[in-house]
Amino acid sequence: MRQRLKDGINGWAALCTMVAALLLAAGNAGEARAEYGDVVMNQSSEAAGMRPVVFPHWFHRVRYSCKVCHSDLGIKLEAGGTGIDMLKIIDGAYCGACHNGNVAWSVERCDLCHSGKPGTRTQVHQSAIQKPLAPAAASGAKK
Amino acid sequence: MAKTMLMAYAALIFALAGMPAVAQDAADPANAFNRLLDPAAQRNPPPAEDGIHDPANAGTRMLQAPLEAFGPLPKRNSGNRVDWVGAQASGKIRPRWNAADPKESAAALDLNIVREVKGSMPDVVFPHKQHTELLDCGVCHPAIFEMQKGANQMSMAAILLGQGCGACHGRVAFPVVECRLCHSRAKKAAATGAAAVGRQARR
């Protein structure tokens, strides 16, 4: 009888482990779920104690053509390629051309831009180039 | 003592009875029905659940969920799952051409470039019109493409690596899975090829 109970407890432990594993798997899948075209920028943010920045292309392209940012404002077609930082932003370049409290809410709303999960690296999400890397990410090789 | 044991048993039986649903997936995740396909339920997640936003950040909860914005827009099967060209053509969205002047609109160039494709796939038609409603000439010419028909090397391998059309398609503009949007013109060569095969068959 005592042995049976022990098996029972082992069964529970196994069940708990399985549930935990399932939840973990769901958590890991997060990387692959991000909205298409979302850009994470984390060249200087986390090193300076801020969360990474998440830039949503879908939200902005509803309002602006690509030309506004990629021609008029000089933003490069490469995640991390422009070298955006806070000083340029408060001086009215890049995000700061609009996020100035006049066209769009201003830079004081830090956590609307710095909303990324710590540890997420600079990249555009759901890209064709990123896909072949996914298995490596799932096994935790990438950070 | 016996009572606690009984309760433990009851709990165990309860747990086992409830298990099959979990167990079928969990027992053998190696043979899950879909291994590499992204499940439909994970499409267009709200920021707090998308894996790149920090749910613990107060600002994350203030951000718009994509599906709220996409609701009224025409649909597509991939990428943002929005037909962006259709959304703009039907006036559902009006992306500004000039940030300062909502009235200014693009002087679109209506010029199709046909690229003949090796093998069985239909030829590629590159439409300047849809592109120049969103992009300046300078974004593509000459940084990505020489301004001359046929002057640029193109291939699917290069596109998947992010070159040529792949500078945008597969990153922000509709992804490469939508073969038919680019490979949109039936081949002249294919038609004559089929006729040749037909003649041979008759012989």
Side-chain angles (χ1 to χ4, degrees):
Chain A
M1 197 62 177
R2 182 147 298 166
Q3 185 54 43
R4 283 262 189 89
L5 181 58
K6 226 171 157 188
D7 287 345
I9 290 169
N10 281 343
W12 267 104
L15 183 70
C16 289
T17 325
M18 275 192 300
V19 169
L22 270 178
L23 289 176
L24 269 176
N28 274 345
E31 174 98 9
R33 262 185 298 162
E35 186 59 35
Y36 184 71
D38 274 8
V39 178
V40 171
M41 289 181 260
N42 194 6
Q43 293 189 300
S44 53
S45 296
E46 239 182 313
M50 294 294 287
R51 290 182 176 88
V53 170
V54 182
F55 171 78
H57 261 108
W58 64 268
F59 183 92
H60 289 87
R61 71 177 294 182
V62 165
R63 292 159 176 80
Y64 298 101
S65 67
C66 327
K67 173 251 187 194
V68 166
C69 292
H70 292 295
S71 296
D72 300 350
L73 298 177
I75 296 175
K76 301 261 166 29
L77 284 180
E78 186 193 346
T82 316
I84 303 175
D85 64 27
M86 281 318 289
L87 177 61
K88 292 171 188 159
I89 292 174
I90 61 164
D91 284 346
Y94 309 128
C95 323
C98 305
H99 290 279
N100 54 12
N102 184 27
V103 178
W105 41 263
S106 86
V107 280
E108 75 195 0
R109 316 271 307 254
C110 318
D111 61 357
L112 289 180
C113 288
H114 291 276
S115 62
K117 202 176 246 178
T120 316
R121 62 191 172 88
T122 299
Q123 64 177 320
V124 63
H125 280 267
Q126 299 285 296
S127 79
I129 307 118
Q130 198 192 340
K131 288 263 159 70
L133 295 174
S139 64
K142 184 177 69 180
K143 187 89 208 228
Chain B
M1 182 63 186
K3 208 175 167 192
T4 39
M5 227 129 96
L6 209 70
M7 275 167 65
Y9 262 123
L12 179 60
I13 287 162
F14 182 72
L16 285 174
M19 238 164 83
V22 182
Q24 266 174 8
D25 277 347
D28 200 359
N31 296 314
F33 187 81
N34 287 120
R35 239 173 40 86
L36 298 176
L37 181 74
D38 294 340
Q42 297 189 356
R43 290 167 190 162
N44 307 114
E49 293 162 26
D50 69 1
I52 59 169
H53 286 88
D54 187 350
N57 170 44
T60 300
R61 284 193 298 278
M62 300 188 64
L63 299 177
Q64 189 176 32
L67 283 180
E68 183 190 321
F70 297 168
L73 307 183
K75 302 286 176 286
R76 253 296 139 79
N77 255 330
S78 62
N80 299 117
R81 299 184 178 274
V82 167
D83 171 1
W84 289 110
V85 171
Q88 189 171 352
S90 61
K92 293 233 162 63
I93 61 168
R94 291 177 205 282
R96 294 186 184 185
W97 179 251
N98 180 337
D101 178 4
K103 296 220 174 63
E104 193 178 323
S105 63
L109 169 70
D110 194 357
L111 169 65
N112 283 352
I113 308 274
V114 177
R115 301 273 314 197
E116 285 173 16
V117 174
K118 296 186 266 315
S120 63
M121 289 291 286
D123 288 342
V124 169
V125 180
F126 171 83
H128 270 90
K129 187 161 180 291
Q130 288 94 312
H131 289 93
T132 49
E133 263 158 15
L134 286 165
L135 293 149
D136 246 355
C137 320
V139 173
C140 288
H141 296 308
I144 307 178
F145 301 108
E146 291 297 335
M147 204 191 273
Q148 192 192 327
K149 182 172 154 34
N152 301 271
Q153 282 283 350
M154 299 183 195
S155 75
M156 270 334 279
I159 291 170
L160 286 163
L161 285 173
Q163 290 152 17
C165 319
C168 300
H169 292 282
R171 299 174 178 219
V172 175
F174 71 77
V176 178
V177 295
E178 305 267 9
C179 317
R180 286 276 183 188
L181 288 181
C182 290
H183 292 273
S184 59
R185 205 191 71 162
K187 270 189 173 130
K188 284 202 207 95
T192 49
V197 170
R199 271 199 301 278
Q200 274 205 326
R202 250 176 272 130
R203 230 180 264 156

